[in-house]
Amino acid sequence: VICRSLANSSNGIKRKSPLQNLHLASRSIHHPYYPSSKFQRPPLRISIQLFSSLNRLPLRKTKLLDVKYGYQSHRNFWLARLASRLLKLRYLILGSAVGGGYTAKKTYDQWKDMMPDLDEYKWIVPDFIWELDEHIDFEKLIKALPDADDLAKLLPDFDKIGESFTSLKGFFSPGSPGETAFRATDQGYDNDKQYKKGLLGELILLQQQIQQHEEEARRAAGQYNMGSSQQKRKVSDKEKIDQLQEELLRTQLKYQRMLERLEKENKELRKLVLQRDDKGIHQRKLKKSLIDMYSEVLDILSDYDASYNTQDHLPRVVVVGDQSAGKTSVLEMIAQARIFPRGSGEMMTRSPVKVTLSEGPHHVALFKDSSREFDLTKEEDLAALRNEIEIRMRNSVKEGCTVSTETISLSVKGPGLQRMVLVDLPGVISTVTSGMAPDTKETIFSISKAYMQNPNAIILCIQDGSVDAERSIVTDLVSQMDPQGKRTIFVLTKVDLAEKNVASPSRIQQIIEGKLFPMKALGYFAVVTGKGNSSESIESIKEYEEEFFQNSKLLKTCMLKAHQVTTKNLSLAVSDCFWKMVRESVEQQADAFKATRFNLETEWKNNYPRLRELDRNELFEKAKNEILDEVISLTQVTPKHWEEILQKTLWERVSTHVIENIYLPAAQTMNSGTFNTTVDIKLKQWTDKQLPNKAVEVAWETLQEEFSRFMTEQKGKEHDDIFDKLKQAVKEESIKRHKWNERAEDSLRVIQHNALEDRSISDKQQWDAAIHFMEETLQSRLKDTESVIEDMVGPDWKKRWLYWIGRTKEQNVRNETKNELEKLIKCNEEHAAYLANDEVTTVRKNLEARGITVDPCLIKDTWHQIYRRYFLKTALNHCNLCRRGFYYYQRHFVDSELECNDIVLFWRIQRMLAITANTLRQQLTNTEVRRLEKNVKEVLEDFAEDNEKKVKLLTGKRVQLAEDLSK
C-alpha cells in the first residue's frame, strides 16, 4: 500500500499497479510482510501523513521507488504463475486430508455411540474361548502337526489289500460264475454299476437268488396244499418243493460264507488301522469314542438317580431272563470273551453288570474305577477278570441279602465288536431256596422292573429253548413292561437241545414267529451258546453254532430264516436298534435336563442372589478350610493371655483346698514353727497326689474353651450358620480323640514341688503382691461366708423393714444360736476352731432357757460359719499389719512380736501358680495345639469320606437346591 501510494503521488499518473494484475499467490510473494487478503482493501488516499508499521523509521521516497520487483513491461512472470498453481494444489490436498480425517473420525465416533454395548453379552461365549491363547501354544501346535510323509504312513497298505483279494480272481475270470453274475447285475442295474462289481455283485446276485427260491418254495407249497386228485402229481410237487428247499439252503450257505469272508477281511483291515492309530504316530491325544462318552453319561445318571425312576430315560440294552436261561452266555458271545463267572445251576449274577462294548485294536477289558487292563486273549487275565467280577458282586451284597442293586461298570474293547451298552441283570427265579434271603425274589423283580420301565431301554428277553415254554416267568414280566413289543427283542437259546428234545419242531417255529408266548417283540432270534462246557472257547462255540444251523432241519424246512439265527446276526440287530433309539432320545433328554436346570437356577437367583452355587461337597471343603484356619488361630494366642487364663482358672479350682485344708488347719497352731511344719507337710501331700492332675485338667479345659470360642465366634456378616452343626460335630469328635501327654504330670509335679519349697521373697514388690493376693482371697471367702450366714439367719432388720421380708421359724432359731455363739467368741477371742461338748451343752441350755429348742448338730453347723467369719476378719487385720513387715521378714522376725508366715504361704502359692501356668502354656503351644490340629484334620478326613455324615451335618433348602443344581 505504501509503495502504491508513493508511486501514484510521485508520478502523478493514475494507472493500475502491475501487482494488481498478479494472482494472490504472486502478491504474497512480492509482499511477504502482508497477507494477501489486505490487497483486497481499497488503497489509502492520505496526503497529509503516511502511516505504517514502520512509521518510526524515516521514509525515503527515492529508496522505496527503486523497488527491485517494480513494474517491468517486458516480463510475463510465467515462473510465478506455475509456482502459484503448484502451491494451490498442495494446500488443497493438505486441507482435504485434514478435513477428511476429522470428518471420518467424527462419523466413526457417531457410529460407535450408536452400536450397543456387547460387553453384557460376553457370557454367551464360554470363558475358555477367551482363554484359549493362554492355555494353548498355537505355534507349538503348528510345529507338532505331521508332515505329508507322516500322513502318507497312516494310509492302509493297498498292496496287501490287493493281495487279500487275489483268491477272488476265479469269480472274475472269463466264463466264470462271477463274470456271469457281474454281467447280470450290470444289465439290470445300470445306475448302481459302481457298487455291484466283483464280489459285491456276487453277493447281491446270491441275495436275489435266495429271494427267488423262497418265492418258488412258497408257491410250490401253496399248490401242494391245494390238494390235487392225482397222486402222481402230488408226489412230483413234493419232490419239487424238496429240491427248491435244498437249492435255497445251498444258496443261503454260500451267501453266508462269502459274507463272513468279507467281514473277516474287513475286520483285519480295521484292526490294522486301529493299531496304527493306537501307536500315536504323531503323539496326539485321541478323542473318546462316542460309545465311551455315552457310557460315562449313563454312569453319571446312575449316580444321580440310582433307582432309574425319574430322569434317566436314555437307551441301554437290558438283558433279562430266567435263571440259567443263558443270559450271560449270550452276552459273552456278543462281547466275544468268557468274562463272567460261571456255575452249575446256582445264582452267579448277584448284581447288575453294565458292559460297554466298543471297537479297539486290542481285545481288553477294564473297570470304571480301575486303570488295570485285562487282556482277553490270555486265559490268565480272563480268570483274573472273572474272579474280580465275582468279588465285586459279593462285596456289593449287603449282609442278610442275596442280590444287590449296585451296578458294576465294565468296558470291553476289541476289533469287530458292535458298539452298545448292555446291562446283565440277575436271573428271575420262581422259588426262594435255602441260603437265600426271603425277599430275594421280590428284589430281583424290582431291579428288573426298574431297568425295563425306562421307555427307551431295549429289552433283550432270553428264553431257554430246552425247557417247556409254560415254565417261563420272564415273558410275563416283559409283556407287562412292554405290551406292544416296540422295544423288545426275543432270543431263544439252546436251540440244539430244543431240536433234540421237542417232539414237534413246529413248536420252535411258533416261538420264533411270536405265536406261542403272550408277548410281542421287534424281532425273534434263535442262537446256540455252546455244548454246556464252561471251558469252551468263543471260537469253538461259533464253529459249533454255524455247523449246527448248517445241518439243522429247522433251516432246511424253512421253519427258521437265515437272518434269525446265530449270535452274529443278533448282535448286529441289537446294535442297529440301540443306536436308532439313542438318536431319537438323546436330544429330547438333553432338552429336559436343560429345562430342569433353568428352573433350579431361577429359584436359586430368587432365594440366594448373592451366594455362589456350592453343593454339599463344596460346602464341606469351604467349612474345612474355615475350621483349619480357626485351629491355626490358636497358635496366635499370646503367651500372656494363656498364662492369665490358666493361672486364674487353676486358682479357682484349688483355692478351696488351700484355704480349708492347708491354711485354716495350719493357722490353729500355737507358734510359727508348727505353722510352717504343718504347711510343708500338707503342701507336699497335695503336690504328690492332686495338684499336677488338677493342673492338667485345667489346661485341657482351657484349650477346649479357647478352641470352642474360635469355632463358635461369629465373624460378622461373613458368618455362615450353615456350618454350625458341622463345626460342633468336628469340635466334639476332636476333643474326644485328644489325649494329653501322659508324661506332662510327672514333669509338672517336680516343677510344682520345687516352686512350693522356695520361701525366699526377694523384694518388697513381691511382698506387697503376696499381701494383695491374700487379701483378695480372704475377702472373697469372707463375702461368701457372709452370704451363707445371711441365708441361715434370714434378713436383718433393715431388709425386713424396707422389703417387708420376714424370717422363718428355722431362721429365728439359727439367729438366736448365732447370737449365743458370738457371745462365746467375744469371751474367748483365741477360741479353737471346734466347740467342745460341754460348750455345745451350755449353748443348748441357754437357748432352752429362752424357750428355744435346738439340735446340737445345728449348733455345730452354725458355729462353723461364725468361727469362719471371725477367723477371716482376724486374718485380714493381720494381713494389714504385715504390710510393713517386710523389714522384719528379712531379719527372720528377730526381736519382733509380728509373725507373717501366712504371707509367705500365699507368696509360695502365688509363685507356684505362675510357674505352673507358664509350664502349661509351653505344653499347650509347643505340643497340645499341634496335636489337636492333627486330630481335627483326621476328623475332617473321616467326615469327607462319610457321605451320610455330610448329609446329616450339612442340611437345609440351600444345600438341597445346590445339590440338585450340581446333579
Side-chain angles (χ1 to χ4, degrees), residues 691-703:
L691 183 57
N693 187 23
K694 283 284 185 184
V696 171
E697 288 181 1
V698 167
W700 176 217
E701 292 176 3
T702 303
L703 179 60

Side-chain angles (χ1 to χ4, degrees), residues 472-706:
S472 176
I473 305 173
V474 70
T475 52
D476 294 335
L477 180 61
V478 173
S479 62
Q480 294 176 9
M481 305 308 297
D482 185 23
Q484 302 298 326
K486 294 182 179 180
R487 51 189 180 89
T488 302
I489 296 177
F490 183 87
V491 182
L492 186 67
T493 60
K494 305 178 183 178
V495 183
D496 52 343
L497 299 178
E499 188 178 23
K500 295 178 182 179
N501 300 333
V502 177
S504 176
S506 62
R507 192 173 179 83
I508 298 176
Q509 183 180 4
Q510 292 178 353
I511 294 175
I512 296 302
E513 291 178 354
K515 298 178 180 179
L516 187 61
F517 289 108
M519 59 171 290
K520 299 178 182 180
L522 288 171
Y524 296 84
F525 289 86
V527 298
V528 175
T529 56
K531 300 178 182 180
N533 186 4
S534 60
S535 61
E536 288 181 292
S537 64
I538 295 295
E539 294 299 328
S540 62
I541 296 175
K542 283 184 178 181
E543 293 176 0
Y544 173 72
E545 184 182 37
E546 294 175 359
E547 182 182 355
F548 167 75
F549 283 116
Q550 288 176 6
N551 302 323
S552 175
K553 296 179 181 179
L554 299 174
L555 277 180
K556 291 181 179 180
T557 57
C558 292
M559 292 185 181
L560 297 178
K561 297 180 181 180
H563 67 273
Q564 289 183 312
V565 297
T566 70
T567 52
K568 179 67 175 179
N569 293 333
L570 170 64
S571 177
L572 292 171
V574 173
S575 179
D576 291 342
C577 184
F578 171 76
W579 285 110
K580 180 181 178 183
M581 298 193 75
V582 167
R583 285 191 293 269
E584 293 175 353
S585 60
V586 158
E587 187 172 354
Q588 178 183 359
Q589 288 301 309
D591 293 339
F593 277 108
K594 289 178 182 178
T596 304
R597 178 166 181 80
F598 176 79
N599 294 335
L600 293 173
E601 287 177 342
T602 303
E603 185 177 358
W604 180 275
K605 291 178 181 177
N606 292 334
N607 294 318
Y608 313 104
R610 297 184 179 181
L611 296 177
R612 288 195 302 122
E613 303 168 5
L614 300 179
D615 59 11
R616 186 171 280 109
N617 292 329
E618 293 172 333
L619 285 172
F620 181 83
E621 290 298 323
K622 183 179 178 181
K624 177 181 177 181
N625 295 331
E626 287 189 9
I627 293 172
L628 293 177
D629 291 342
E630 289 161 358
V631 174
I632 293 176
S633 299
L634 284 173
T635 60
Q636 299 176 358
V637 178
T638 60
K640 182 180 179 182
H641 181 73
W642 278 121
E643 293 183 10
E644 288 178 353
I645 295 177
L646 290 170
Q647 187 170 349
K648 179 181 178 182
T649 309
L650 181 60
W651 176 240
E652 290 175 355
R653 293 293 182 87
V654 303
S655 60
T656 301
H657 180 83
V658 171
I659 299 297
E660 302 294 336
N661 299 328
I662 299 177
Y663 178 54
L664 285 177
Q668 304 304 317
T669 57
M670 300 302 295
N671 52 53
S672 60
T674 309
F675 179 89
N676 292 331
T677 303
T678 305
V679 166
D680 291 342
I681 293 173
K682 291 187 176 295
L683 286 177
K684 181 71 167 53
Q685 294 174 351
W686 182 45
T687 306
D688 291 339
K689 296 179 180 180
Q690 300 179 8
L691 183 57
N693 187 23
K694 283 284 185 184
V696 171
E697 288 181 1
V698 167
W700 176 217
E701 292 176 3
T702 303
L703 179 60
Q704 293 182 36
E705 291 175 359
E706 288 297 304

